Amino acid sequence: MASGMTPAKRFLVRTALITGTTLSVVVGAQTLATLDLQRTTTPDTNPSGELTVNTNVANPAGIIKAAPSLVIVRHPPQVAAAPTQPNRPKPAGIVAQPPAPVAIQAPPPVVVQPQQSSSAPASAPSAPPATHSTR
Amino acid sequence: MTTQYVTAFRAMGCKVNVWLDTDEDGQTLLQQAPAWIEDIEASLSRFRPESELSRLNQHLNTWMPVSDVLMDNLLAAKQAARITNGLYNPLVLDALVAAGYDRSFDQISDSESPAHAAPVLSWRDIGIDFMERRACLPARMDLGGVAKGWTAQTIAERLAAYGACLVDIGGDIAVRGAPANQPGWEIQVDDPAEPDTIVAKVCLTNGSIVTSGIDYRRWRRGGQLLHHLIDPRTGSPANTDVLSVTVIHSDASAAEAYAKAILVMGSQVGLEWLQQQWESAAMVVRTDGMVLATRSFTPYMVQEGVTL
């Protein structure tokens, strides 16, 4: 400390040092936080606006992760995209069935299947379970 | 010794398949399934003038007694509306009729006369008095959005007392347990754009998987292609980039509601919203053929005997 400084001057110098240091820390932290925010919120898109895909993700199932939170299971086909409004008529071969009778006259056939094993799939008389829109 | 039984028939206007792994008399058990479903359909079908739901729809703004089956479905429908903030809304019957779905789907034919939108009232105005077993509707209701899943789940719970089972009602599936020597029920997710191909295969042990889509139940009015999934905000069939959506959830009615909500919201917004819902997983097939899924869906997917 320089000689000749009064206690009051010493106090003022110390206060200025502490205040300046504190302000520097705060401003610096805010700047860093802003930079971090910019880095995380900038969308990971190419100029055309499409989602980019990190193809370097090791994935034995062939599923490629899409940023930020969804998974792309299948990309759109390379051929012309399907119209926004599907324009297909009812699939051929679907026969309009009459409504089921109110009084069930006879129970439907129940097929007995051989016990399934992990290696040999059962020979199911009907298609395996499948989910789809109601039909 | 456990034996697997399977039966197939039509009910609720769609194909029904039931699988049961049991060491009891599976044949007798499964032969009761059509009657079980018929009892439920007799209460819930809007296409039957004598059904309970039709009577309720004919006496709007009037408290009417309801059976346990209808009460459970009304509660499920109102809860479904609540968890989707109204994006699923059972009070869409007038909108469905206005769009052309005024009879069972196999009786609909294309028409040159244009369709029109109809406003959908708030689901909050559905009156349910659980203690007195009565309900009061402010507008006509269609339970097609939750009834198939509820029915599949109800039948599955009934059969679960006898063994592992899978109940499939028009593609809405409820499972209990796993078949013998299998980690779970393997279920294909059909590709709505390509007949006889699949988008994915999943393995499920307990819970439900349902699919809603605009690829099948559709018709033309005034040259415009319409479908049965109403956006309650517009009173018209939803118009987004979703061709079909598949949801996995422990509760079938919730799965159905979430599927409708995602379809109404669109693929990106819908799936990201779904990821925030409890214990839910979903996959969307978009109209451009792209398939997106939530991260929570991939653990269910099966590839060549490997569960991911």
Side-chain angles (χ1 to χ4, degrees):
Chain A
M1 191 73 66
S3 59
M5 285 191 72
T6 64
K9 279 188 184 173
R10 257 188 246 125
F11 174 76
L12 286 172
V13 168
R14 284 176 185 161
T15 304
L17 281 171
I18 292 169
T19 306
T21 307
T22 305
L23 281 173
S24 303
V25 168
V26 168
V27 169
Q30 275 190 330
T31 305
L32 285 172
T34 304
L35 284 172
D36 284 343
L37 189 63
Q38 285 176 352
R39 195 171 300 126
T40 58
T41 56
T42 298
D44 187 20
T45 58
N46 62 32
S48 69
E50 295 172 346
L51 277 175
T52 58
V53 168
N54 178 6
T55 56
N56 292 326
V57 174
N59 192 327
I63 298 173
I64 303 170
K65 281 194 174 182
S69 59
L70 300 179
V71 175
I72 297 178
V73 177
R74 184 179 78 190
H75 286 276
Q78 292 300 316
V79 296
T84 303
Q85 284 278 353
N87 193 23
R88 290 182 294 120
K90 242 190 246 187
I94 301 289
V95 177
Q97 302 226 2
V102 172
I104 303 296
Q105 298 300 324
V110 176
V111 179
V112 176
Q113 303 205 130
Q115 188 173 8
Q116 285 184 323
S117 68
S118 56
S119 57
S123 53
S126 60
T131 184
H132 42 71
S133 56
T134 303
R135 63 196 67 210
Chain B
M1 183 179 122
T2 299
T3 307
Q4 189 172 86
Y5 300 85
V6 59
T7 186
F9 52 94
R10 280 194 72 87
M12 295 188 146
C14 58
K15 298 176 190 172
V16 179
N17 298 290
V18 184
W19 279 260
L20 175 64
D21 264 30
T22 184
D23 51 11
E24 304 202 29
D25 186 358
Q27 186 144 354
T28 301
L29 284 167
L30 288 194
Q31 284 178 342
Q32 298 175 68
W36 291 342
I37 295 178
E38 167 57 28
D39 282 346
I40 294 170
E41 187 174 7
S43 180
L44 304 181
S45 173
R46 66 167 169 109
F47 300 115
R48 300 189 187 186
E50 72 282 4
S51 75
E52 263 196 288
L53 179 62
S54 292
R55 281 209 313 274
L56 213 53
N57 282 333
Q58 289 157 13
H59 296 87
L60 297 180
N61 300 306
T62 305
W63 286 97
M64 301 282 288
V66 296
S67 66
D68 290 348
V69 167
L70 184 52
M71 174 60 76
D72 284 352
N73 275 268
L74 290 172
L75 290 169
K78 198 168 181 180
Q79 177 63 6
R82 184 176 293 115
I83 63 176
T84 60
N85 295 322
L87 289 177
Y88 164 77
N89 186 332
L91 299 177
V92 293
L93 181 49
D94 289 338
L96 279 169
V97 170
Y101 199 176
D102 55 356
R103 63 204 69 185
S104 64
F105 180 69
D106 50 8
Q107 296 171 351
I108 293 179
S109 55
D110 295 343
S111 165
E112 288 305 314
S113 50
H116 57 275
V120 179
L121 296 192
S122 172
W123 59 273
R124 297 179 193 277
D125 294 332
I126 297 171
I128 297 178
D129 185 343
F130 183 77
M131 298 304 292
E132 298 294 325
R133 315 303 283 182
R134 58 180 191 158
C136 176
L137 300 182
R140 295 198 298 165
M141 176 183 282
D142 174 79
L143 286 170
V146 292
K148 291 187 180 64
W150 183 92
T151 303
Q153 184 167 288
T154 299
I155 303 301
E157 286 169 356
R158 210 171 283 184
L159 291 173
Y162 304 97
C165 62
L166 180 151
V167 180
D168 165 13
I169 300 182
D172 293 347
I173 295 174
V175 306
R176 293 291 182 271
N181 303 319
Q182 301 291 322
W185 292 93
E186 267 197 18
I187 299 166
Q188 298 175 349
V189 182
D190 285 349
D191 188 335
E194 296 291 331
D196 301 325
T197 61
I198 65 172
V199 174
K201 216 184 270 188
V202 301
C203 184
L204 215 55
T205 305
N206 283 296
S208 299
I209 179 169
V210 308
T211 297
S212 289
I214 63 172
D215 55 302
Y216 187 75
R217 299 211 161 198
R218 55 191 192 199
W219 57 90
R220 285 193 180 277
R221 282 289 180 276
Q224 189 184 8
L225 191 63
L226 303 169
H227 60 79
H228 71 299
L229 294 169
I230 300 292
D231 183 339
R233 300 168 298 185
T234 65
S236 296
N239 184 12
T240 65
D241 64 346
V242 176
L243 184 57
S244 76
V245 49
T246 299
V247 174
I248 296 174
H249 195 278
S250 57
D251 180 77
S253 296
E256 287 202 87
Y258 285 146
K260 306 313 185 270
I262 291 170
L263 194 137
V264 165
M265 282 188 272
S267 61
Q268 291 267 340
V269 173
L271 287 175
E272 290 184 4
W273 169 83
L274 193 279
Q275 286 196 134
Q276 298 165 24
Q277 310 312 310
W278 182 251
E279 289 185 347
S280 305
M283 183 173 72
V284 162
V285 180
R286 299 194 330 189
T287 50
D288 63 0
M290 190 175 198
V291 180
L292 290 173
T294 59
R295 285 194 202 143
S296 51
F297 194 90
T298 52
Y300 293 100
M301 294 175 69
V302 176
Q303 184 170 0
E304 295 302 325
V306 175
T307 301
L308 302 176

